Amino acid sequence: MNEFPARIVIITGSSGYLGSALVAAFRSEESTVISVDKPRQGEEFSITTDLSGQCISVAANLEKERDREKVFQSLSELGLIPSCLVNNAAYIHHQLIEQKPFWEKEIEAMNILDVGLRSAYVASWFAAKMMVAAGKGLIVFGSSFGASCYMHGPAYGAQKAGLDKFAHDMAVDLRPFNVQAVSIWMGPLLT
């Protein structure tokens, strides 16, 4: 098994603009980065490590409960305890930013709740167990001001408001164990 740096960072939704920037930033800080993103067409759940051993790529469909659990089960089997979890995964429906009422968009637009909200809760649940046992850690949620105003419709707003509430309430539960949870409003992004 490779020798991994002490800081282990999990980033979900790692192929988008922000996700890939986060991967690069943490790699430059000599962290082991676990980059979690959706599998390519026809690909199943898989884990690959780059030649440096510093970046572990996990292909996981975070719409599927089985894949959500497999991510953390696999990390546990490798002896990798996350120092930081960045919940950045989201489902971006092709009608997300269309200027029309929610009922005129396809029902699949609500999948943002399953990927962006549910997968963040599941990932945080697994990571929190590992972080509490280690006595330290940080859970980060990528949110936006869409949590407090109308932006892209009710599913988007509910997802962002839910992430903010996750961060607030998880922080209360985690405080006695030296684990923190925060929500970051990042401003406009390309992806």
Side-chain angles (χ1 to χ4, degrees):
M1 185 163 92
N2 294 335
E3 287 294 319
F4 296 104
R7 184 169 36 183
I8 297 171
V9 180
I10 301 170
I11 301 170
T12 66
S14 59
S15 70
Y17 178 77
L18 177 63
S20 59
L22 289 168
V23 169
F26 280 109
R27 284 187 76 179
S28 72
E29 294 294 321
E30 297 185 6
S31 300
T32 295
V33 178
I34 293 122
S35 168
V36 182
D37 212 350
K38 59 188 170 201
R40 292 186 182 106
Q41 187 75 24
E43 186 181 28
E44 293 293 319
F45 181 92
S46 66
I47 297 178
T48 56
T49 303
D50 74 357
L51 294 176
S52 72
Q54 201 179 347
C55 189
I56 299 169
S57 297
V58 180
N61 184 345
L62 296 179
E63 291 182 69
K64 296 180 179 178
E65 199 72 37
R66 175 184 49 85
D67 277 15
R68 293 174 187 151
E69 293 176 18
K70 269 178 137 175
V71 169
F72 287 90
Q73 178 184 9
S74 299
L75 298 179
S76 181
E77 289 169 2
L78 291 170
L80 298 172
I81 298 171
S83 308
C84 179
L85 165 65
V86 180
N87 288 297
N88 184 55
Y91 176 86
I92 306 299
H93 189 269
H94 67 92
Q95 292 180 306
L96 176 68
I97 61 172
E98 287 184 14
Q99 300 292 316
K100 58 171 80 171
F102 74 93
W103 65 89
E104 291 182 8
K105 296 179 182 181
E106 296 170 10
I107 191 68
E108 291 79 16
M110 59 75 69
N111 287 349
I112 195 169
L113 298 173
D114 215 26
V115 176
L117 197 56
R118 184 175 173 85
S119 74
Y121 185 90
V122 171
S124 299
W125 185 85
F126 281 107
K129 287 177 173 277
M130 299 167 93
M131 291 173 177
V132 165
K136 63 182 178 181
L138 173 65
I139 298 173
V140 180
F141 298 92
S143 187
S144 85
F145 57 91
S148 63
C149 67
Y150 183 88
M151 180 183 288
H152 308 316
Y156 179 87
Q159 187 250 351
K160 296 304 182 185
L163 292 175
D164 289 350
K165 187 64 173 161
F166 282 172
H168 177 271
D169 291 0
M170 287 180 189
V172 171
D173 287 347
L174 293 167
R175 189 170 292 121
F177 304 99
N178 196 34
V179 178
Q180 299 172 346
V182 297
S183 180
I184 299 173
W185 289 11
M186 294 173 274
L189 299 171
L190 295 175
T191 62

